[in-house]
Amino acid sequence: MFDALTRQPDDPLLALIGLYRKDERPGKVDLGVGVYRDETGHTPIFRAVKEAEKRLHETQDSKAYVGPEGDLVFVDRLWTLVGGDTINRSHLAGVQTPGGSGALRLAADLIRQMGGKRIWIGLPSWMNHASIFKAAGLETAGYPFFDVPSQTVLFDTMMSALQGASAGDAVLLHAGCHNPTGGVISEAQWLEIAAVVAERGLLPLVDLAYQGFGRGLEEDVVGLRHLIGIVPETLIAVSCSKSFGLYRERTGAIFAVTTSSSSADTVRSNLAGLARTSYSMPPDHGAAIVRTILSDADLARDWKEELETMRLRISGIRQSLAEGLRDRWQALGAIAAQEGMFSLLPLAEADVMRLRNEHGIYMPGSGRINIAGLKTAEVGDVIDKLKNL
Ligand SMILES: Cc1ncc(COP(=O)(O)O)c(C=O)c1O
């Protein structure tokens, strides 16, 4: 019966990891994988995470089931970080999920369950977005979000797409630190988006996977908070993978902002039911770590400080890259003002292959680079290689 299956293509980013590992050249540079790296090329465990793990090790006295909604203290603390005091909490339904991907999938399942059929996605987007939504049975509708040669967000195109969407359609929005473009939506533009979404009766699904990596922890949710203040119903998928460095612990949450406590209760029960028939319950460890950090003022302060050093490192590399590249490609000066770990270089696939084969500089064929994959000492060399393509 397994013969009925066809071999699925390998994930190109995972294949890239394999190629990079096999490369024995000493100066090789990995700009492919989407994880934060420090100046030594290492993906560190936050000090606060280590300390929280130590405390959990000493105090945790059971591994009994928690439940499909996960750790509700974690969910509550995480919401404070995301939404602050913007809404009445009794109108909020929040459920812990296996990472941001699990949150997106649960959101998509919920949209299907409530009769939604279609979700709008600005392109290019994170590769998994369309796959997750399609796997849940949603139709995806794409519109151009970013022009790579000029490095600009196509805001007018986005607004036309939203104006053409039908009531009941869902709309995917990146809260910030857009993957893969780094393109920024200004506060004024968020207000315009919120107005159209509310007017057209659309359901926004906001993906928040990089809080703290753009302009700062609070700054990175300003747009999202405007949105939930204006639009009556919103879904928010949160990933703790980057912001807490918990990638493999699969830590995240899905939040639904609703219009009443009874609606929130109904949504919560649906989310829990969908979780139950999928993975039953989310893994506990990552959420317990985040709960411990966010429940302790000293740990939280230390976590914020370390996150800020990461943000500043990325921002510094962005400034140097933009400075070095703008005389060859004027548009790439925009890299300085873009946010988050990623930017999308205007390279042909042949250029990407030359960089890989001739110089050991690895990135996917799309030209997406992980800025955090660069050490300060490598920036000059990478700029030279790019300029000499
Ligand atoms: C835009 C975006 N959303 C969601 C995710 C999901 O993160 P995870 O499932 O690892 O928490 C990622 C991960 O790279 C991402 O880039």
Side-chain angles (χ1 to χ4, degrees):
M1 281 188 271
F2 295 142
D3 288 347
L5 299 171
T6 50
R7 174 103 176 53
Q8 298 296 305
D10 292 329
D11 181 322
L13 272 178
L14 297 183
L16 197 69
I17 299 178
L19 290 172
Y20 178 79
R21 278 207 192 115
K22 269 192 232 149
D23 190 331
E24 288 177 354
R25 285 173 285 185
K28 63 182 180 175
V29 179
D30 179 10
L31 303 181
V33 184
V35 296
Y36 175 81
R37 295 224 168 96
D38 64 17
E39 270 297 325
T40 67
H42 184 58
T43 302
I45 300 176
F46 280 75
R47 294 182 300 265
V49 166
K50 272 285 184 203
E51 177 57 31
E53 284 189 309
K54 213 184 288 172
R55 292 187 193 176
L56 285 168
H57 177 71
E58 282 158 10
T59 57
Q60 199 176 49
D61 60 0
S62 177
K63 294 284 185 192
Y65 292 126
V66 176
E69 295 175 23
D71 180 335
L72 291 179
V73 179
F74 154 80
V75 169
D76 186 60
R77 300 275 192 275
L78 188 63
W79 178 256
T80 303
L81 207 61
V82 171
D85 297 326
T86 2
I87 55 143
N88 177 344
R89 272 192 205 216
S90 71
H91 294 185
L92 182 74
V95 165
Q96 185 198 324
T97 57
S101 304
L104 289 164
R105 177 58 196 253
L106 217 52
D109 287 338
L110 185 80
I111 292 169
R112 284 294 293 141
Q113 188 134 306
M114 56 204 235
K117 293 190 172 56
R118 184 160 56 167
I119 185 158
W120 291 81
I121 307 180
L123 300 174
S125 199
W126 179 48
M127 268 185 4
N128 263 358
H129 278 142
S131 319
I132 290 173
F133 301 141
K134 281 182 190 152
L138 284 174
E139 178 198 326
T140 58
Y143 62 87
F145 169 79
F146 190 80
D147 180 59
V148 182
S150 64
Q151 295 284 302
T152 46
V153 169
L154 300 170
F155 187 68
D156 293 343
T157 315
M158 178 181 191
M159 293 304 279
S160 312
L162 298 187
Q163 264 141 3
S166 310
D169 282 356
V171 180
L172 176 77
L173 299 167
H174 294 232
C177 300
H178 189 272
N179 180 6
T181 70
V184 177
I185 301 279
S186 70
E187 203 172 332
Q189 288 173 330
W190 271 101
L191 289 167
E192 283 187 57
I193 293 170
V196 174
V197 165
E199 186 191 302
R200 305 279 322 153
L202 310 177
L203 176 71
L205 165 54
V206 184
D207 185 355
L208 176 59
Y210 297 91
Q211 191 177 357
F213 277 85
R215 275 169 296 142
L217 266 177
E218 288 285 313
E219 294 82 347
D220 289 349
V221 285
V222 164
L224 164 64
R225 289 182 183 179
H226 279 313
L227 184 85
I228 59 180
I230 294 170
V231 177
E233 296 181 327
T234 304
L235 287 166
I236 302 136
V238 184
S239 166
C240 297
S241 300
K242 278 80 183 184
S243 306
F244 289 86
L246 287 169
Y247 309 88
R248 67 174 71 161
E249 300 294 354
R250 313 309 303 132
T251 312
I254 180 74
F255 293 99
V257 177
T258 76
T259 50
S260 67
S261 49
S262 71
S263 174
D265 190 50
T266 305
V267 172
R268 190 179 306 109
S269 70
N270 276 269
L271 289 170
L274 289 165
R276 195 82 179 106
T277 54
S278 172
Y279 50 82
S280 185
M281 294 170 203
D284 177 63
H285 188 61
I289 291 169
V290 173
R291 172 188 21 92
T292 306
I293 293 174
L294 296 181
S295 305
D296 181 295
D298 289 336
L299 282 186
R301 190 176 320 110
D302 190 52
W303 163 68
K304 283 180 192 172
E305 273 172 27
E306 198 166 356
L307 181 59
E308 183 64 2
T309 61
M310 294 176 172
R311 190 184 75 77
L312 291 174
R313 188 181 109 67
I314 293 172
S315 169
I317 303 270
R318 282 194 171 282
Q319 309 309 314
S320 313
L321 265 184
E323 201 55 40
L325 290 171
R326 65 160 54 98
D327 55 343
R328 159 86 199 272
W329 286 288
Q330 207 192 346
L332 289 187
I335 288 179
Q338 289 167 359
E339 289 172 3
M341 300 215 300
F342 305 110
S343 282
L344 197 52
L345 300 181
L347 298 178
E349 192 141 357
D351 293 330
V352 170
M353 292 315 293
R354 272 187 66 193
L355 287 166
R356 189 184 303 173
N357 297 335
E358 294 176 20
H359 306 300
I361 299 173
Y362 285 74
M363 65 184 75
S366 62
R368 187 196 81 164
I369 55 167
N370 174 11
I371 307 275
L374 267 174
K375 299 172 194 155
T376 306
E378 294 166 344
V379 176
D381 195 42
V382 168
I383 289 172
D384 285 346
K385 300 291 170 3
L386 282 167
K387 279 173 142 175
N388 289 319
L389 276 174

